[in-house]
Amino acid sequence: MTTSTPARSRAEQKREYREQPRRAGIYLIRNTVSGKLLLGSSMNLQGPLNRHRFMLSIGGHPNRALQADWQRLGPDAFEFTIADVVTPQDEEAGPQEDELWLLEQVWIEQTSPFGERGYNLHPRIRDA
């Protein structure tokens, strides 16, 4: 008779996901063919990256230029990366909105992700 470890319940999986530390920071979706990028930020980096990847895969991304390039070039032509993570000044305080705002400004200035260089349509890059 063999014994096996019982599978984790869905409730346990959800609890583990909720308990994972949330990282705030900057992410990039880069077209490796053209070099164009979508710059974004979030207080929880995994959420927007998953959402962008899903929306592109079903053909429903709100950024039409990004969606068109995805359809034309395929998913292998895109990189999804976490570019920078907020390091709180006070380790116990957790990520700070002001620190993320400053990081956003640095990345916007460094990458200029608008027009020919990127997919961003306006300077507000933070996901809700």
Side-chain angles (χ1 to χ4, degrees):
M1 178 175 181
T2 60
T3 59
S4 62
T5 307
R8 294 180 314 180
S9 72
R10 188 161 174 81
E12 288 172 324
Q13 292 173 351
K14 285 182 181 179
R15 181 184 48 78
E16 287 175 7
Y17 176 78
R18 282 192 299 268
E19 290 175 357
Q20 289 177 350
R22 305 286 189 241
R23 296 188 313 167
I26 305 295
Y27 64 86
L28 298 169
I29 301 172
R30 182 182 311 275
N31 177 328
T32 60
V33 175
S34 69
K36 287 179 76 168
L37 60 91
L38 178 72
L39 178 68
S41 74
S42 178
M43 293 299 289
N44 176 11
L45 286 169
Q46 281 311 118
L49 285 172
N50 291 338
R51 185 177 65 253
H52 283 292
R53 189 176 281 116
F54 175 74
M55 295 300 288
L56 287 163
S57 72
I58 65 168
H61 199 281
N63 186 306
R64 291 180 185 193
L66 177 58
Q67 184 68 61
D69 284 352
W70 178 276
Q71 295 298 118
R72 184 172 52 85
L73 300 170
D76 291 340
F78 291 85
E79 295 175 339
F80 292 73
T81 58
I82 294 174
D84 212 340
V85 177
V86 171
T87 305
Q89 293 177 358
D90 177 0
E91 289 182 20
E92 293 182 14
Q96 301 292 317
E97 298 259 350
D98 293 343
E99 292 172 14
L100 182 55
W101 184 85
L102 290 171
L103 203 54
E104 290 169 354
Q105 302 317 302
V106 168
W107 277 91
I108 288 170
E109 187 174 314
Q110 285 178 353
T111 61
S112 298
F114 309 102
E116 301 264 333
R117 296 183 67 182
Y119 296 105
N120 290 78
L121 302 175
H122 47 76
R124 184 185 174 280
I125 64 168
R126 186 165 316 173
D127 284 287

